[in-house]
Coordinates of all heavy atoms in Angstrom, one line a residue:
M60 N -13.6 -7.8 10.1 CA -14.9 -8.0 9.7 C -15.9 -6.8 9.7 O -16.6 -6.6 8.7 CB -15.7 -9.0 10.8 CG -15.0 -10.4 10.7 SD -15.5 -11.4 12.0 CE -17.3 -11.6 11.7
R61 N -15.5 -5.8 10.6 CA -16.4 -4.5 10.6 C -15.9 -3.8 9.3 O -16.8 -3.0 8.7 CB -16.0 -3.7 12.0 CG -16.7 -4.4 13.2 CD -16.8 -3.4 14.3 NE -15.4 -2.9 14.7 CZ -14.8 -3.6 15.7 NH1 -15.1 -4.7 16.2 NH2 -13.5 -3.0 16.0
Q62 N -14.7 -3.8 9.0 CA -14.2 -3.1 7.8 C -14.9 -3.8 6.6 O -15.4 -3.0 5.7 CB -12.7 -3.3 7.6 CG -11.9 -2.4 8.6 CD -12.1 -0.9 8.5 OE1 -12.9 -0.4 9.2 NE2 -11.3 -0.4 7.7
R63 N -15.1 -5.1 6.5 CA -15.7 -5.7 5.4 C -17.2 -5.4 5.3 O -17.8 -5.3 4.3 CB -15.4 -7.2 5.4 CG -14.0 -7.5 4.8 CD -13.8 -9.0 4.7 NE -13.5 -9.6 6.0 CZ -14.0 -10.7 6.5 NH1 -15.0 -11.3 5.8 NH2 -13.6 -11.3 7.6
L64 N -17.8 -5.2 6.5 CA -19.2 -4.9 6.6 C -19.4 -3.5 6.1 O -20.4 -3.2 5.5 CB -19.7 -5.0 8.1 CG -21.2 -4.7 8.3 CD1 -22.0 -5.9 7.6 CD2 -21.5 -4.8 9.8
G65 N -18.3 -2.6 6.3 CA -18.4 -1.2 5.8 C -18.4 -1.3 4.3 O -19.2 -0.5 3.6
V66 N -17.7 -2.2 3.7 CA -17.6 -2.3 2.2 C -19.0 -2.8 1.8 O -19.6 -2.3 0.8 CB -16.5 -3.4 1.8 CG1 -16.6 -3.6 0.3 CG2 -15.2 -2.7 2.1
A67 N -19.6 -3.9 2.5 CA -20.9 -4.3 2.1 C -21.9 -3.2 2.2 O -22.8 -3.1 1.3 CB -21.3 -5.4 3.2
A68 N -21.9 -2.3 3.1 CA -22.9 -1.3 3.3 C -22.7 -0.2 2.1 O -23.6 0.3 1.5 CB -22.6 -0.5 4.6
S69 N -21.4 -0.1 1.7 CA -21.1 0.8 0.5 C -21.7 0.2 -0.8 O -22.1 0.9 -1.7 CB -19.7 1.1 0.4 OG -19.2 1.6 1.5
L70 N -21.7 -1.1 -0.8 CA -22.2 -1.8 -2.1 C -23.7 -1.9 -2.2 O -24.2 -2.4 -3.3 CB -21.5 -3.2 -2.1 CG -20.0 -3.4 -2.3 CD1 -19.5 -4.7 -2.2 CD2 -19.5 -2.5 -3.5
L71 N -24.5 -1.7 -1.2 CA -25.8 -1.8 -1.1 C -26.5 -1.0 -2.3 O -27.5 -1.5 -3.0 CB -26.5 -1.4 0.2 CG -26.3 -2.2 1.4 CD1 -26.8 -1.6 2.7 CD2 -27.1 -3.5 1.1
R72 N -26.0 0.2 -2.6 CA -26.6 1.0 -3.7 C -26.1 0.6 -5.0 O -26.4 1.3 -6.0 CB -26.4 2.5 -3.3 CG -25.0 2.9 -3.3 CD -24.8 4.4 -3.2 NE -25.6 5.1 -2.1 CZ -25.7 6.4 -2.0 NH1 -25.0 7.2 -2.8 NH2 -26.4 6.8 -1.0
D73 N -25.3 -0.4 -5.1 CA -24.7 -0.9 -6.4 C -24.0 0.2 -7.1 O -24.3 0.6 -8.2 CB -25.8 -1.5 -7.2 CG -25.2 -2.4 -8.4 OD1 -24.0 -2.7 -8.3 OD2 -26.0 -2.7 -9.3
P74 N -23.0 0.7 -6.5 CA -22.3 2.0 -7.0 C -21.4 1.6 -8.2 O -21.1 0.5 -8.5 CB -21.4 2.5 -5.9 CG -21.1 1.3 -5.3 CD -22.4 0.3 -5.2
Q75 N -21.1 2.7 -9.1 CA -20.2 2.4 -10.2 C -18.8 2.8 -9.7 O -17.8 2.4 -10.3 CB -20.5 3.3 -11.3 CG -21.9 2.9 -12.1 CD -22.3 3.8 -13.2 OE1 -22.3 5.1 -13.0 NE2 -22.6 3.2 -14.3
L76 N -18.7 3.7 -8.7 CA -17.4 4.1 -8.1 C -17.4 3.9 -6.7 O -18.4 4.4 -6.0 CB -17.1 5.5 -8.4 CG -15.9 6.2 -7.7 CD1 -14.7 5.5 -8.2 CD2 -15.9 7.8 -8.0
L77 N -16.5 3.2 -6.1 CA -16.3 2.9 -4.6 C -15.0 3.6 -4.3 O -14.0 3.4 -4.7 CB -16.2 1.4 -4.4 CG -16.0 0.9 -2.9 CD1 -17.2 1.2 -2.2 CD2 -15.8 -0.5 -2.9
V78 N -15.2 4.4 -3.3 CA -14.1 5.3 -2.6 C -13.8 4.6 -1.3 O -14.6 4.6 -0.3 CB -14.5 6.7 -2.6 CG1 -13.3 7.5 -1.9 CG2 -15.0 7.4 -3.8
L79 N -12.5 4.3 -1.1 CA -12.1 3.7 0.1 C -10.8 4.5 0.6 O -9.9 4.5 -0.1 CB -11.7 2.2 -0.1 CG -12.7 1.3 -0.5 CD1 -12.3 -0.1 -0.8 CD2 -13.9 1.2 0.5
D80 N -10.8 4.8 1.9 CA -9.7 5.6 2.5 C -9.1 4.7 3.5 O -9.7 4.5 4.6 CB -10.4 6.9 3.1 CG -9.3 7.7 3.8 OD1 -8.1 7.8 3.2 OD2 -9.4 8.3 4.9
E81 N -7.9 4.3 3.3 CA -7.1 3.5 4.2 C -7.9 2.3 4.7 O -8.0 2.2 6.0 CB -6.5 4.4 5.3 CG -5.8 5.5 4.9 CD -4.3 5.3 4.6 OE1 -3.9 4.2 4.5 OE2 -3.6 6.3 4.3
P82 N -8.5 1.5 3.8 CA -9.4 0.4 4.4 C -8.6 -0.7 5.2 O -9.3 -1.3 6.0 CB -10.1 -0.2 3.1 CG -9.2 0.1 2.0 CD -8.5 1.5 2.4
A83 N -7.3 -0.8 5.0 CA -6.7 -1.9 5.6 C -5.8 -1.3 6.9 O -5.1 -2.1 7.5 CB -5.6 -2.5 4.6
N84 N -6.0 0.0 7.1 CA -5.3 0.6 8.2 C -5.7 0.0 9.5 O -6.9 -0.1 9.9 CB -5.5 2.1 8.2 CG -4.6 2.8 9.2 OD1 -3.5 2.5 9.4 ND2 -5.2 3.9 9.8
G85 N -4.7 -0.5 10.4 CA -5.1 -1.0 11.7 C -5.3 -2.5 11.6 O -5.6 -3.1 12.7
L86 N -5.4 -3.1 10.5 CA -5.7 -4.5 10.5 C -4.5 -5.4 10.7 O -3.4 -5.0 10.4 CB -6.3 -4.9 9.1 CG -7.6 -4.3 8.7 CD1 -8.0 -4.7 7.2 CD2 -8.7 -4.5 9.7
D87 N -4.6 -6.6 11.2 CA -3.6 -7.5 11.4 C -3.2 -8.1 9.9 O -4.1 -7.9 8.9 CB -4.0 -8.6 12.3 CG -5.1 -9.5 11.9 OD1 -5.5 -9.4 10.7 OD2 -5.7 -10.1 12.8
P88 N -2.2 -8.8 9.8 CA -1.6 -9.3 8.4 C -2.9 -10.1 7.7 O -3.0 -9.9 6.6 CB -0.4 -10.2 8.8 CG 0.1 -9.5 10.0 CD -1.1 -9.1 10.9
A89 N -3.5 -11.0 8.6 CA -4.6 -11.7 7.9 C -5.7 -10.8 7.4 O -6.3 -11.0 6.3 CB -5.2 -12.8 8.9
G90 N -6.1 -9.9 8.3 CA -7.2 -8.9 7.8 C -6.8 -8.1 6.6 O -7.5 -7.7 5.7
M91 N -5.3 -7.6 6.5 CA -5.0 -6.9 5.4 C -5.0 -7.8 4.2 O -5.5 -7.3 3.1 CB -3.5 -6.4 5.6 CG -3.4 -5.4 6.8 SD -1.7 -5.1 7.2 CE -1.0 -4.4 5.7
R92 N -4.7 -9.0 4.3 CA -4.8 -9.9 3.1 C -6.0 -10.0 2.6 O -6.4 -9.9 1.4 CB -4.1 -11.3 3.5 CG -4.3 -12.4 2.4 CD -4.1 -13.7 3.0 NE -5.2 -13.9 4.0 CZ -5.2 -14.9 4.9 NH1 -4.2 -15.7 5.1 NH2 -6.3 -15.0 5.8
D93 N -7.1 -10.2 3.6 CA -8.5 -10.4 3.1 C -9.0 -9.1 2.5 O -9.8 -9.2 1.5 CB -9.3 -10.8 4.4 CG -8.9 -12.1 4.9 OD1 -8.2 -12.9 4.1 OD2 -9.4 -12.5 6.1
M94 N -8.7 -7.9 3.1 CA -9.2 -6.7 2.5 C -8.6 -6.5 1.1 O -9.4 -6.1 0.2 CB -8.9 -5.6 3.5 CG -9.3 -4.2 3.0 SD -11.1 -4.0 2.7 CE -11.7 -4.0 4.3

Side-chain angles (χ1 to χ4, degrees):
M60 292 171 65
R61 291 197 298 274
Q62 291 294 91
R63 284 186 280 134
L64 187 63
V66 175
S69 300
L70 295 175
L71 282 172
R72 57 170 56 183
D73 197 13
Q75 294 177 309
L76 173 63
L77 179 64
V78 181
L79 299 176
D80 178 38
E81 306 278 4
N84 191 31
L86 297 181
D87 61 22
M91 292 172 64
R92 176 200 61 201
D93 293 343
M94 178 58 71

